[in-house]
Amino acid sequence: MSTEHGVLLGPADIRELAAALGVRPTKQRGQNFVIDANTVRRIVRTAEVGPEDVVVEVGPGLGSLTLALLETASHVTAVEIDDVLAGALPATVKARLPHKEGAFDLVHSDAMLVKELPGPAPTALVANLPYNVAVPVLLHMLDTFPTIERTLVMVQSEVADRLAAGPGSRVYGVPSVKANWYADVKRAGAIGRNVFWPAPNVDSGLVSLVRRTEPVRTTASRREVFAVVDAAFAQRRKTLRAALSGWAGSAAAAEAALVAAGVSPQARGEALTVAEFARIAEHKEAAA
């Protein structure tokens, strides 16, 4: 194995490991392994991971990012669904960073089903998320682990744009509002295709999410607010009066809730902030 970047994995290491394990990256799981040591170091830097951090990583694959995180963080817990990859990762950590073996935990599970993690509570989430499940996994982790203060995820470029979009943007939608419920969200850079194996046919982007110190002020529950968001964007071109008629019971009831919340019934979902969606949720009883 090459030692050009010390403990980190280079292209030859990745292919060697994959061949030894009989691993072929699958489209079904959205697997694209990072083969560039400089990229994983950049991700760790951009995520501002420090020696006090306890990091949870979703979809570690062969361990490229895992090793870079372990170099810096106090503890890393990786969540991997793939049987072969989950079985191999502890050995890779032991071979490359033997002194950090005790600072590493592996959870062999679907991230969407994870409700608790071993070891200390996570302070950061850093992951190269499989493209097909990026948004649900991200929202599940933020909701399940409120101790996660900072998140940096690598996702498909279009998904990064949607997550970081603000009201009025053409790509502002359900992911934008729901991510903003938890955190201040922004684009944190672009990642080229040539740092992956196999090279995907889409560009990737980094998204930074810093958890809100002040949660959205509302008497409505997260579930109630998200129900309004889902209804508002289910029929994007409709006014909120029409789009929320099913949620409220009728168009007239939707109008009553909107007026009570101080939102124009003629507005559309893409114009509203997360706080406005929360106000509408609070006034559902006005619709009754």
Side-chain angles (χ1 to χ4, degrees):
M1 292 202 176
S2 77
T3 53
E4 183 196 345
H5 288 279
V7 300
L8 300 188
L9 300 170
D13 303 322
I14 294 283
R15 289 191 173 87
E16 211 176 290
L17 260 175
L21 297 170
V23 166
R24 291 196 176 143
T26 71
K27 271 211 167 118
Q28 177 208 346
R29 289 206 169 134
Q31 287 169 331
N32 297 92
F33 300 127
V34 183
I35 56 173
D36 180 58
N38 293 323
T39 298
V40 292
R41 285 231 167 96
R42 177 186 155 200
I43 290 169
V44 174
R45 269 200 316 277
T46 307
E48 296 181 5
V49 171
E52 306 301 310
D53 276 310
V54 177
V55 180
V56 57
E57 181 191 6
V58 174
L62 291 165
S64 310
L65 180 55
T66 316
L67 292 168
L69 288 166
L70 268 170
E71 275 190 325
T72 308
S74 78
H75 193 96
V76 175
T77 300
V79 181
E80 177 58 67
I81 189 172
D82 186 285
D83 296 346
V84 175
L85 295 173
L89 191 53
T92 302
V93 169
K94 186 176 183 178
R96 297 238 155 194
L97 281 171
H99 64 290
K100 293 303 276 282
E101 194 186 358
F104 174 70
D105 279 307
L106 179 92
V107 175
H108 181 194
S109 174
D110 178 342
M112 289 297 291
L113 303 177
V114 170
K115 294 280 188 277
E116 54 186 15
L117 294 167
T123 59
L125 165 65
V126 184
N128 168 21
L129 289 178
Y131 289 166
N132 45 357
V133 294
V135 172
V137 165
L138 173 64
L139 296 175
H140 170 74
M141 296 300 284
L142 288 173
D143 192 54
T144 307
F145 301 104
T147 56
I148 293 173
E149 297 160 11
R150 296 183 323 286
T151 295
L152 188 78
V153 290
M154 178 156 54
V155 293
Q156 192 173 329
S157 197
E158 288 81 359
V159 175
D161 288 340
R162 282 204 288 274
L163 283 167
S169 159
R170 193 174 48 80
V171 294
Y172 183 71
V174 172
S176 330
V177 184
K178 290 184 177 178
N180 205 243
W181 168 266
Y182 298 104
D184 293 317
V185 189
K186 66 177 201 299
R187 279 288 299 247
I191 301 281
R193 303 177 187 197
N194 59 344
V195 304
F196 295 100
W197 173 70
N201 52 9
V202 291
D203 291 317
S204 300
L206 296 174
V207 182
S208 158
L209 300 97
V210 177
R211 193 179 289 270
R212 291 172 173 274
T213 46
E214 284 270 314
V216 179
R217 284 170 184 253
T218 180
T219 55
S221 69
R222 178 192 62 81
R223 186 166 288 154
E224 288 166 339
V225 177
F226 282 13
V228 181
V229 175
D230 288 333
F233 286 102
Q235 306 168 68
R236 276 188 87 98
R237 290 187 173 77
K238 293 197 171 180
T239 64
L240 286 170
R241 183 182 190 274
L244 297 181
S245 60
W247 164 81
S250 70
E255 179 158 350
L258 287 159
V259 169
V263 175
S264 165
Q266 300 310 308
R268 286 176 169 76
E270 53 263 38
L272 268 55
T273 64
V274 67
E276 287 170 314
F277 280 113
R279 281 215 307 279
I280 296 167
E282 287 173 19
H283 287 92
K284 189 170 187 180
E285 64 279 4

